Amino acid sequence: MADILIDRVAKSFGAARALAEVSLQVADGEFVALLGPSGCGKTTLLRIVAGLETASGGRVVIGGRDVGALPPRARGIAMVFQNYAVFPHMTVADNIGFGLRMQKRPVEEVARQVGRAAEMLRISHLLDRWPARLSGGQRQRVAVARALAVQPAVLLMDEPLSNLDALLRLEMRADLKAVLREAGTTTLYVTHDQTEAMGLADRIAVMHGGVIEQIGAPGAIYARPATRFVGGFLGSPPMNFLLCSASGGRAAIGDFALAAPQDGAVMLGLRAEDAVPVGAAEGIPFDVRVVEPMGAHLLLTGAVGDQPLRAIAPPDAAIAPGARIGLRPDPARLSWFDPETGRRLEAA
Amino acid sequence: MAPKPWVPYLLIAPAVLFLGALFLLPLVQTLVLSLQGEGGLSFANYARMLGDLNFADALRNTFLLTLVVVPVQIALALLMATMIARIGAGRDLVLWVWVIPLAISDLAAGLAWLAILQSTGYLNSVLFALGLLDGPTPWLTQETPVVLFIGIALAEIWRATAIVLVILVAGMQLIPKEFGEAAEVFGASPWQRFRRVTLPLLKPSIQSALILRTVLAFEVFAVVYALGGRNFPVLVGEAYVWQGENQNTGVAAAYAALIMLISMLATFVYLRVLRTPREQMA
């Protein structure tokens, strides 16, 4: 077990900047997700921690030891790759035991650890099989078992679920969470899937353009995004943004007014589920253009004035396309952003 | 449009006809020739081949050359391919320079090494200039069989390692880099990575290279002829002598049939020993 300290790590590929002095601390036993769109630098950061990529600047400290000069094999890490990288020329058992055999552990210990890891991932019945005969989900379990078998101080995972189909991903996500909780391994997990990050992580670091925009618990990041980007990246449908102007501490949207943190141009961040549809006479005036029944709720797409907006309504609400309704926002769950910088504005 | 089942056969027909007319037919003819004696089928040509003064030498030399040259070429090409895989910028240039010998005909290669190794060649000039020799010394004679053998082996290794390299480089590119990275993360040293991951995954390519190089090594001729002439008899050289000088097509055909048999046996052994089961393919 160990903690990870990422201290002002930077990386450039020629003139292209992939990471700009990123700092992050992962506590012993903590699960942190690096979340962001492709090209945000999350995989590069993970590979620098693994030692598969060299940083242009900064330090990586694992368990109090600066690992900058160490090769991957000396860092006390294990890794799960996006395409699994399960060796095709070894049986499942040999794959899981690979790390232990490289460490020249006694045969009985290797067998015991392999058995334990296979049991954790529920693949004990596959130990004699060749990887080519396994399904994607089974191969994924082998990759995770191989990583856990070495009982690493730190587990690194690079988009481990992205090659699985949706149903399998859901199942594997829950299994992964249970297994990692049991193992108690410090984990750094790269994903572009916000539901994966929300569901698995103790804390999420949202990355964008080579910087970490916000670090925090999933609930906190979701409820109080530090930037417009974070608000828009987390949640489905994404957060709505309404540009409005405020004076005297009140922002006007149509005939509706809300308490604003500052005067002048401000941007309201409103999540679909944080506003209740009400009659046209009250709330934010919303012109519904499309109504999509999603089962659990209705997804409404339309506009406030000329600004697009998505809202949700109870599944049995009688709302027709073309109707004008009102949206009454929950004042405690609103976010305000500076339209220029995209940074969160706090109420005075 | 419904797919016509005969279209694929039509498309491979020209290649099949070409190979049939220019390989299979001469092959059968050679076998027939080798078995033709006075008044019907006989093994007389084979008996004459076995009784030939040079036969034992030719057989021994050919095998010796193959046993030395092919393993060295595979080892060298593995080393070179591994080095190439590590190169970033300039990789293509290095590969290009390394495969230059491929563009040179084997006779020209033999003549180039003759210019180095003959009694008034570059090697002796250098040794003389260093004061290690008193004057022109012949190396490529029957009196210096070891040096002659080393010279021929060197020339063959220089000439034909590149084809092994090309096959192995192509094979290495097919191995996803994550396998190497996974091995690295899970504690494998560079040598273990090569031994436990790269080498097994490269097995199909090594098999192809071994078959190609071994078959060609048994057919070695031009380089030997340029450097040693008949001071170093080999099987193809004897077939050439029997056909050209002795005007005896039957014995020449017997040599040709023997070379074919050896090549086929070697190929069969490689196919069996280095087989990669389908479920273990990368």
Side-chain angles (χ1 to χ4, degrees), chain A residues 47 50 52 72-73 77-79 81 83 85-90 98-99 101-102 104 130 132-133 146-147 150, chain B residues 176-190 192-193 196-198 200-201 278-282:
Chain A
R47 290 174 60 83
L52 295 171
R73 64 177 183 278
I77 54 163
M79 189 160 168
F81 292 81
N83 66 358
V86 171
F87 301 121
H89 59 292
M90 297 178 197
F98 183 82
R101 277 185 288 121
M102 289 300 111
K104 304 239 160 43
W130 297 98
R133 295 277 162 86
R146 178 175 66 182
V150 296
Chain B
K177 72 171 173 29
E178 283 84 358
F179 288 138
E181 289 180 350
E184 204 175 341
V185 164
F186 286 107
S189 65
Q192 283 173 318
R193 245 169 18 239
R196 307 294 291 269
V197 177
T198 309
L201 293 177
R278 180 175 286 274
E279 74 249 23
Q280 294 174 39
M281 299 266 195

Side-chain angles (χ1 to χ4, degrees), chain A residues 49-344:
Chain A
V49 175
L52 295 171
E53 206 91 66
T54 30
S56 316
R59 324 179 281 150
V60 175
V61 181
I62 296 176
R65 195 167 54 130
D66 189 332
V67 295
L70 299 178
R73 64 177 183 278
R75 293 187 176 202
I77 54 163
M79 189 160 168
V80 178
F81 292 81
Q82 182 169 8
N83 66 358
Y84 320 138
V86 171
F87 301 121
H89 59 292
M90 297 178 197
T91 60
V92 168
D94 285 345
N95 261 288
I96 298 175
F98 183 82
L100 296 163
R101 277 185 288 121
M102 289 300 111
Q103 295 171 9
K104 304 239 160 43
R105 302 278 190 88
V107 181
E108 315 83 64
E109 191 195 333
V110 174
R112 196 174 60 242
Q113 292 281 71
V114 167
R116 210 180 57 94
E119 208 166 296
M120 262 173 131
L121 274 300
R122 294 191 269 132
I123 48 172
S124 301
H125 59 295
L126 302 176
L127 285 176
D128 296 329
R129 300 259 200 106
W130 297 98
R133 295 277 162 86
L134 303 181
S135 70
Q138 289 171 330
R139 250 179 267 180
Q140 180 57 267
R141 286 171 187 272
V142 175
V144 176
R146 178 175 66 182
L148 292 177
V150 296
Q151 295 181 301
V154 165
L155 178 61
L156 306 174
M157 304 182 107
D158 184 11
E159 304 258 9
L161 304 183
S162 63
N163 283 356
L164 301 178
D165 62 56
L167 206 63
L168 213 52
R169 201 179 308 162
L170 204 65
E171 184 191 320
M172 190 66 198
R173 201 166 78 201
D175 276 4
L176 205 55
K177 186 158 187 168
V179 164
L180 290 178
R181 173 146 305 158
E182 194 188 322
T185 311
T186 311
T187 306
L188 199 54
Y189 184 103
V190 161
T191 181
H192 66 272
D193 182 335
Q194 46 109 5
T195 56
E196 224 169 275
M198 297 278 296
L200 286 171
D202 297 322
R203 283 192 304 150
I204 299 176
V206 184
M207 294 187 68
H208 179 49
V211 299
I212 292 179
E213 296 251 324
Q214 187 175 6
I215 307 173
I221 288 190
Y222 186 81
R224 298 173 57 78
T227 65
R228 191 187 153 167
F229 173 82
V230 174
F233 197 75
L234 262 78
S236 173
M239 182 179 259
N240 296 294
F241 298 101
L242 295 174
L243 194 59
C244 42
S245 92
S247 60
R250 307 286 291 172
I253 306 164
D255 294 336
F256 189 76
L258 276 167
Q262 70 176 39
D263 285 353
V266 286
M267 182 163 275
L268 169 64
L270 174 65
R271 292 207 181 273
E273 72 271 19
D274 290 342
V276 187
V278 289
E282 33 178 334
I284 300 171
F286 177 45
D287 296 314
V288 179
R289 195 160 51 78
V290 178
V291 178
E292 295 170 78
M294 307 302 286
H297 59 258
L298 297 179
L299 178 60
L300 312 175
T301 305
V304 171
D306 56 357
Q307 303 189 70
L309 186 135
R310 283 201 183 86
I312 58 173
D316 53 354
I319 299 172
R324 165 168 290 201
I325 62 169
L327 292 174
R328 195 175 61 223
D330 178 349
R333 300 188 60 88
L334 300 181
S335 293
W336 294 93
F337 300 98
D338 184 323
E340 293 287 314
T341 62
R343 305 231 128 249
R344 182 182 187 85

